[in-house]
Amino acid sequence: MAMSCKDGKQPIMDNGKYVRYTPEQVEALERLYHDCPKPSSIRRQQLIRECPILSNIEPKQIKVWFQNRRCREKQRKEASRLQAVNRKLSAMNKLLMEENDRLQKQVSQLVYENGYFRQHTHNTPLATKDTSCESVVTSGQHHLTPQHPPRDASPAGLLSIAEETLTEFLSKATGTAVEWVQMPGMKPGPDSSGIIAISHGCTGVGARACGLVGLEPTRVAEILKDRPSWFRDCRAVDVLNVLPTANGGTIELLYMQLYAPTTLAPGRDFWLLRYTSVLEDGSLVVCERSLKNTQNGPSMPPVQHFVRAEMLPSGYLIRPCEGGGSIIHIVDHMDLEPWSVPEVLRPLYESSTVLAQKTTMVALRQLRQIAQEASQSNVTNWGRRPAALRALSQRLSRGFNEALNGFSDEGWSMIGNDGMDDVTILVNSSPDKLMGSNLSFTNGFPAVSSAVLCAKASMLLQNVPPAILLRFLREHRSEWADNNIDAYAAAAVKVGPFSLQGSRVGSFGGQVILPLAHTIEHEEFLEVIKLEGVGHSPEDPIMPRDVFLLQLCCGMDENAVGTCAELIFAPIDATFADDAPLLPSGFRIIPLDSGKEASSPNRTLDLAAALEVGPAGNRASSDHSANSGCTRSVMTIAFQFAFESHMQEHVASMTRQYIRSIISSVQRVALALSPHLGSQAGLRSPLGTPEAQTLARWICQSYRSYLGVELLKSNGEGSESILKTLWHHSDAIMCCSLKALPIFTFANQAGLDMLETTLVALQDITLEKIFDDHGRKTLCSEFPQIMQQGFTCLQGGICLSSMGRPVSYERAVAWKVLNEEENAHCICFMFINWSFV
């Protein structure tokens, strides 16, 4: 059957199978398809009535057209997806082939150097300098020693430094100037975040990443050069001078500041030269390095509260990819001056893995996040654009860092304490800080806050995976938070109806978690927390109201070994505007020695080691330590509150006590969650270890023998009872070995608190490290008396915890501990009435 088209208004049917529509009809159907791609039967009939050009088409024919149109759309999307995957696989294949070539060159170089080393070790056992290639060969490692010609601050001098920086950067990005090893746990592939490597055997810490991003090179460079927009630790980057170059590039002089991650270390700053240029093959390069006095370039004086760190040649190599997008190589290479922080924190500044996680991988992740957002819907189910949600996350993190660092140029000043230095109190009355905090309630009552107070503290945790602890803090807020304090913090924001959208994640003890957004690899979550019935309305103080918090969580993946975990939150007002005022508070947990195995216990009477030996011996303990991902971590707590100026003393006292109660709650939770000290192992139990009981008995017997009095109040005569009483003694009691460099082998609970350490980490602390110069001299003069007389009494003084904090003590007693054969086993110290100062 054939159907003719009269006046071009009717479709043509060919042999009863195919229908040919006129261009006008196709255009009309396409418009309808974009409005409703899957119309119902009633809707199709309505379309025919509303569109005269389709009036002569059967409803069944329109149904078939829509089915075919949907099928073509699906095929088009699938073909587009497969083409994108094919382009990505081709680019990844190219990247892997280049990486393979680089590794082959590195192997060849190492083989050559190994042969060179073998040949010359017969003549000289010392390192030999190879002047022909300007390198030093030692133990098979290759260290570049570039010869810097004289430089000056003129454009020609800066260009010379820039070109040298470019050469060194490219040799790291695609050459063999640095020995790169694959970062543990990272597997390259089309669905991975890229190829991540860390430096091995070179100066400072280094990390390198190669990956594909769906952005054009110029856009990639624009994002990466705006470091504060993606690097949360970056406080500011000031461009002090810009010089164009003859080849179309630019040279910039930058001053950059980085926040300190904890209260126990200063921030870092950099004086940098940044060079942007285009290579002959069209690749875009952005490279940076620190300017030093040895280069005779422009200088930058030291800045108070910052330690000047060095950035070795680093940067970004961005190459256009066929079919769109870019192939990017990122190199971060720094010397963060670890000498300037307490020894317990130095792993944070000496670890290339930490640099990779905090900087290199974050940069690559940010590019992939923005590329994904550009290819998807521009509005989330909360009515927020992805860029706006990222800005909220950035503001939470930045506000927390500002409070934690408390820089004076932002208006922060420290106020007096109550004699214990465990909690630091800062106040900020600057207009910039208060802008947005002086809000009016919806009923017209003003909020009269005139200042912001911050209380902060840090504490050391043992054998508690940060991810598990963070998840507990997130899901069990009632275990550590005070509803009255939450209500007080929320009183500075507007009261009114809050529009809840999105799906509920869960309800945990009076709090409801509603998701806002997450990053593409779920490393970070932004969510709204509803605390039900916590606050009170100002117009009706008796009627409870809900309090809402904007909350940022990251680092909750237990398999991501060594990742920093954060829980940052701030009360939000009823409007929840993108520019809503925020006073962030929260927790940051940083692992200190990720993957470090527990040390093997010896058979001496070493309580610290004995406490870690379970029924299966030390092997089980070590295995568990490896699985848990870390043995030590430092938690930093910072809370902010707006207040009226005449209430400063009251609010400071309240906040100080609140932080201390949180610390106590976290310690209790950490004890329960710890695989070594948790409920499964009790105390693992020090009270049941024969070696520990014997050592406790020797300590008490020796004290009674030399001083003529009892160390402990009689609580029973059993060895287990003696150890238990010694463990809970109010004074700090600790033992050190009789070696040329004495190390601590045991401490009771008060001793661990005083040293701010754990039983596992105790053996890393030497006796001399806890005393200042005067204390060391006094100890050296008294040590012979201890060995001859058996004891000595030390006057009050100052010592240092493992965190570098000063600790005062009223007096101290040291005595020699004898074993059953009356031989000296160790030296025991008791610090009486100690406190942090």
Side-chain angles (χ1 to χ4, degrees):
M1 178 181 65
M3 181 180 291
S4 63
C5 181
K6 186 176 181 180
D7 296 329
K9 300 297 183 181
Q10 295 182 0
I12 300 175
M13 299 191 65
D14 184 10
N15 296 329
K17 295 182 179 181
Y18 303 101
V19 179
R20 289 183 292 169
Y21 298 92
T22 65
E24 294 83 0
Q25 291 170 333
V26 172
E27 182 180 353
L29 289 170
E30 286 289 346
R31 286 197 305 269
L32 297 173
Y33 176 82
H34 287 295
D35 292 337
C36 181
K38 194 174 182 180
S40 63
S41 176
I42 298 176
R43 177 59 177 157
R44 289 194 298 271
Q45 294 177 4
Q46 182 182 359
L47 292 176
I48 294 174
R49 291 194 299 269
E50 293 176 352
C51 190
I53 200 173
L54 303 177
S55 59
N56 294 325
I57 304 178
E58 294 291 333
K60 184 177 180 180
Q61 295 171 353
I62 291 184
K63 178 181 179 180
V64 172
W65 186 93
F66 273 91
Q67 289 176 342
N68 293 338
R69 182 64 178 84
R70 290 194 299 269
C71 183
R72 290 196 302 272
E73 180 71 14
K74 183 178 180 180
Q75 291 174 343
R76 185 190 64 78
K77 290 182 178 180
E78 181 65 12
S80 178
R81 186 189 70 82
L82 292 175
Q83 289 174 358
V85 171
N86 183 62
R87 288 194 302 268
K88 189 174 182 180
L89 289 173
S90 299
M92 180 62 74
N93 180 62
K94 180 180 178 181
L95 189 62
L96 291 174
M97 290 177 64
E98 292 176 352
E99 182 70 4
N100 185 57
D101 291 340
R102 189 192 65 81
L103 291 174
Q104 287 180 348
K105 291 178 183 178
Q106 183 173 329
V107 169
S108 300
Q109 181 174 326
L110 291 174
V111 170
Y112 168 77
E113 291 180 354
N114 185 54
Y116 180 91
F117 179 78
R118 288 176 176 274
Q119 180 180 357
H120 287 74
T121 49
H122 297 290
N123 301 326
T124 173
L126 301 177
T128 303
K129 184 172 182 181
D130 180 7
T131 56
S132 63
C133 61
E134 296 181 351
S135 65
V136 176
V137 181
T138 56
S139 303
Q141 296 294 332
H142 182 73
H143 302 277
L144 292 180
T145 56
Q147 302 297 319
H148 298 286
R151 302 284 189 264
D152 55 46
S154 67
L158 293 176
L159 180 60
S160 178
I161 298 175
E163 293 291 348
E164 184 180 83
T165 303
L166 174 62
T167 301
E168 293 189 35
F169 161 68
L170 291 176
S171 68
K172 296 176 183 179
T174 60
T176 58
V178 171
E179 181 182 352
W180 301 109
V181 296
Q182 183 171 308
M183 183 173 169
M186 300 301 298
K187 296 181 180 180
D191 296 324
S192 73
S193 59
I195 303 172
I196 313 297
I198 56 177
S199 63
H200 175 70
C202 70
T203 302
V205 292
R208 173 178 174 269
C210 309
L212 311 173
V213 293
L215 299 170
E216 295 303 313
T218 53
R219 176 61 175 149
V220 172
E222 177 187 348
I223 294 171
L224 294 176
K225 291 172 75 171
D226 185 16
R227 192 177 264 113
S229 70
W230 56 267
F231 186 28
R232 301 282 174 83
D233 287 350
C234 184
R235 185 190 184 208
V237 176
D238 293 332
V239 180
L240 303 183
N241 197 5
V242 180
L243 301 173
T245 62
N247 61 1
T250 57
I251 295 175
E252 300 167 280
L253 300 184
L254 312 176
Y255 175 65
M256 179 173 70
Q257 292 180 343
L258 302 184
Y259 290 111
T262 76
T263 62
L264 306 172
R268 296 299 189 262
D269 67 349
F270 298 83
W271 172 230
L272 301 171
L273 178 145
R274 181 164 69 192
Y275 181 37
T276 305
S277 63
V278 179
L279 302 182
E280 293 181 356
D281 63 357
S283 299
L284 182 59
V285 178
V286 180
C287 55
E288 300 171 320
R289 82 173 312 152
S290 288
L291 290 171
K292 300 185 298 181
N293 294 332
T294 56
Q295 299 163 330
N296 295 325
S299 61
M300 167 70 72
V303 178
Q304 188 180 12
H305 306 307
F306 287 90
V307 172
R308 182 63 49 84
E310 180 183 2
M311 180 180 291
L312 295 99
S314 306
Y316 318 104
L317 171 62
I318 313 163
R319 294 182 294 175
C321 185
E322 295 181 7
S326 305
I327 299 176
I328 182 170
H329 295 255
I330 303 175
V331 173
D332 291 303
H333 193 184
M334 303 179 185
D335 184 351
L336 297 173
E337 305 294 342
W339 58 267
S340 62
V341 301
E343 187 171 356
V344 69
L345 294 180
R346 289 182 186 174
L348 299 180
Y349 297 83
E350 296 174 336
S351 170
S352 294
T353 300
V354 171
L355 177 67
Q357 291 172 334
K358 291 181 61 177
T359 308
T360 316
M361 295 173 64
V362 171
L364 192 57
R365 192 177 297 134
Q366 176 80 353
L367 295 172
R368 298 179 66 224
Q369 182 75 35
I370 293 176
Q372 185 193 54
E373 292 170 0
S375 63
Q376 293 182 348
S377 174
N378 209 23
V379 178
T380 69
N381 61 338
W382 278 74
R384 294 293 199 281
R385 296 180 181 274
L389 295 176
R390 278 192 284 108
L392 284 173
S393 299
Q394 181 77 5
R395 289 180 56 204
L396 279 174
S397 183
R398 185 177 185 85
F400 182 77
N401 278 325
E402 288 178 356
L404 190 150
N405 285 262
F407 293 119
S408 57
D409 61 358
E410 292 177 347
W412 291 102
S413 60
M414 186 181 300
I415 64 176
N417 58 55
D418 60 354
M420 297 179 63
D421 197 26
D422 54 336
V423 179
T424 302
I425 304 293
L426 302 174
V427 170
N428 194 329
S429 303
S430 66
D432 291 341
K433 185 68 176 177
L434 293 171
M435 187 177 299
S437 295
N438 294 330
L439 302 173
S440 296
F441 295 114
T442 52
N443 62 356
F445 290 97
V448 291
S449 301
S450 59
V452 175
L453 182 143
C454 173
K456 58 184 182 179
S458 293
M459 59 185 292
L460 192 68
L461 301 173
Q462 173 191 356
N463 294 328
V464 183
I468 295 178
L469 178 57
L470 188 83
R471 184 180 296 113
F472 184 92
L473 295 174
R474 172 178 177 259
E475 298 179 358
H476 301 274
R477 187 181 180 88
S478 60
E479 293 291 330
W480 56 267
D482 187 322
N483 286 345
N484 293 325
I485 302 294
D486 284 332
Y488 175 83
V493 300
K494 290 183 179 179
V495 181
F498 195 96
S499 177
L500 290 177
Q501 304 178 38
S503 58
R504 173 183 298 202
V505 168
S507 180
F508 307 98
Q511 70 170 358
V512 179
I513 299 178
L514 301 112
L516 274 176
H518 59 76
T519 54
I520 54 178
E521 295 173 7
H522 292 79
E523 311 88 358
E524 185 176 287
F525 296 85
L526 186 66
E527 54 200 18
V528 170
I529 306 299
K530 176 185 176 184
L531 304 178
E532 298 174 330
V534 169
H536 296 280
S537 174
E539 60 270 20
D540 188 358
I542 300 178
M543 179 65 66
R545 71 178 180 95
D546 299 335
V547 169
F548 296 92
L549 306 175
L550 181 65
Q551 181 165 277
L552 176 69
C553 346
C554 57
M556 292 197 300
D557 183 3
E558 296 178 37
N559 297 320
V561 178
T563 302
C564 169
E566 290 182 336
L567 184 70
I568 303 173
F569 47 85
I572 50 178
D573 65 12
T575 62
F576 188 29
D578 291 341
D579 58 349
L582 298 176
L583 285 180
S585 304
F587 307 88
R588 175 177 290 157
I589 313 171
I590 308 175
L592 296 176
D593 44 4
S594 173
K596 180 179 177 181
E597 291 188 358
S599 57
S600 300
N602 49 44
R603 293 309 300 166
T604 63
L605 294 177
D606 183 344
L607 180 58
L611 290 181
E612 298 306 312
V613 180
N618 189 65
R619 180 173 176 271
S621 177
S622 296
D623 291 345
H624 197 107
S625 175
N627 292 337
S628 63
C630 69
T631 57
R632 292 182 300 174
S633 58
V634 60
M635 170 182 275
T636 298
I637 306 171
F639 277 68
Q640 296 188 82
F641 300 96
F643 68 98
E644 302 173 33
S645 57
H646 68 278
M647 296 288 290
Q648 175 173 307
E649 185 176 346
H650 171 73
V651 175
S653 176
M654 175 197 72
T655 307
R656 183 181 286 111
Q657 294 303 319
Y658 183 46
I659 294 299
R660 288 174 180 163
S661 71
I662 291 176
I663 291 175
S664 178
S665 299
V666 169
Q667 288 174 334
R668 174 175 51 82
V669 171
L671 183 66
L673 296 177
S674 170
H676 288 290
L677 300 178
S679 58
Q680 183 178 358
L683 284 172
R684 173 63 74 185
S685 166
L687 313 181
T689 307
E691 292 89 347
Q693 297 169 5
T694 302
L695 177 59
R697 189 175 72 252
W698 288 353
I699 291 173
C700 296
Q701 289 176 351
S702 300
Y703 186 90
R704 181 174 62 249
S705 174
Y706 288 119
L707 283 85
V709 294
E710 294 290 342
L711 174 63
L712 307 175
K713 293 181 180 180
S714 179
N715 224 2
E717 299 183 358
S719 296
E720 183 173 343
S721 177
I722 293 174
L723 177 56
K724 182 176 181 179
T725 306
L726 183 72
W727 180 259
H728 295 290
H729 197 284
S730 59
D731 294 321
I733 299 173
M734 52 196 77
C735 296
C736 68
S737 60
L738 290 171
K739 297 180 180 180
L741 187 64
I743 61 173
F744 287 104
T745 57
F746 162 73
N748 68 348
Q749 185 61 63
L752 295 176
D753 293 341
M754 179 182 130
L755 293 177
E756 290 189 293
T757 189
T758 63
L759 286 170
V760 172
L762 184 67
Q763 297 177 78
D764 296 332
I765 304 174
T766 60
L767 180 62
E768 66 174 7
K769 286 182 180 179
I770 73 166
F771 288 101
D772 56 13
D773 292 338
H774 175 72
R776 281 192 288 269
K777 292 179 182 178
T778 302
L779 186 62
C780 289
S781 63
E782 296 289 341
F783 201 83
Q785 181 178 345
I786 300 174
M787 299 307 296
Q788 294 176 9
Q789 180 178 312
F791 76 98
T792 189
C793 294
L794 304 175
Q795 295 180 353
I798 300 291
C799 62
L800 300 175
S801 74
S802 63
M803 294 286 198
R805 290 207 291 174
V807 181
S808 68
Y809 55 94
E810 184 178 294
R811 57 192 175 92
V813 180
W815 68 96
K816 183 168 56 176
V817 177
L818 303 179
N819 59 19
E820 302 289 359
E821 291 77 25
E822 299 294 318
N823 295 323
H825 175 72
C826 62
I827 300 293
C828 193
F829 291 82
M830 180 167 65
F831 295 87
I832 301 170
N833 294 336
W834 63 272
S835 64
F836 292 105
V837 296

